[in-house]
Amino acid sequence: MDGSEPGDVVPAAVLSGAPTDLQARTVRIFKPTKTATQSGDWHSHHWRMDWDVLGKGHRWENPLIGWQSSADAMQGTHLNFTSKEDAVNFAEKQGYEYYVQEPNERRIIPKAYANQFVHSPKKLKQIRTK
């Protein structure tokens, strides 16, 4: 995006003089899932935007230690937003190409402890302990 495209919003990156590598990046907007080791949902109330990883040409192996090095300054960066619309508006204002990953909603099946003791006309279930 160089600012010559038709539209009602002029990208902020065009006016700021940011490098073209940052202007042409694709961002992903998503709602993060809760971690498997946590029972709460504290971090799942916001939307996150992060930048896609650049191709193989921007990585190399460090000869001293053997670690992977990268020229991508935005690789570990993410932004948090209170709503999906805020994240989309920010991406459009910055001139980023974006895609939105909709979250998978959990289905919670109601269960009750008393259901274990409800009479059923089937054969009696026996659990052997020895």
Side-chain angles (χ1 to χ4, degrees):
M1 298 189 106
D2 61 357
S4 62
E5 291 84 7
D8 55 347
V9 177
V10 176
V14 173
L15 302 174
S16 69
T20 56
D21 292 344
L22 292 179
Q23 294 177 19
R25 297 293 297 268
T26 303
V27 295
R28 175 177 66 132
I29 299 171
F30 65 102
K31 196 170 189 180
T33 59
K34 73 180 188 94
T35 59
T37 59
Q38 300 294 323
S39 61
D41 59 353
W42 179 257
H43 294 290
S44 64
H45 296 295
H46 61 271
W47 287 80
R48 180 178 283 182
M49 182 176 82
D50 63 0
W51 284 260
D52 281 350
V53 178
L54 292 176
K56 276 207 167 250
H58 296 277
R59 294 180 175 269
W60 63 91
E61 184 174 326
N62 189 329
L64 180 63
I65 301 175
W67 292 350
Q68 288 286 323
S69 298
S70 174
D72 187 8
M74 304 305 285
Q75 181 177 350
T77 307
H78 65 268
L79 297 173
N80 292 330
F81 297 92
T82 56
S83 68
K84 177 174 69 170
E85 291 77 22
D86 289 343
V88 169
N89 289 338
F90 181 81
E92 287 176 351
K93 185 176 179 183
Q94 294 297 322
Y96 297 138
E97 295 179 14
Y98 65 91
Y99 62 96
V100 178
Q101 271 186 337
E102 295 294 334
N104 295 330
E105 295 297 327
R106 289 181 15 184
R107 288 183 296 151
I108 299 175
I109 300 169
K111 296 179 182 178
Y113 179 71
N115 289 344
Q116 297 179 13
F117 304 104
V118 173
H119 174 71
S120 63
K122 300 176 189 173
K123 185 178 176 183
L124 183 63
K125 180 178 174 183
Q126 294 181 351
I127 301 174
R128 299 188 189 274
T129 57
K130 288 190 174 186

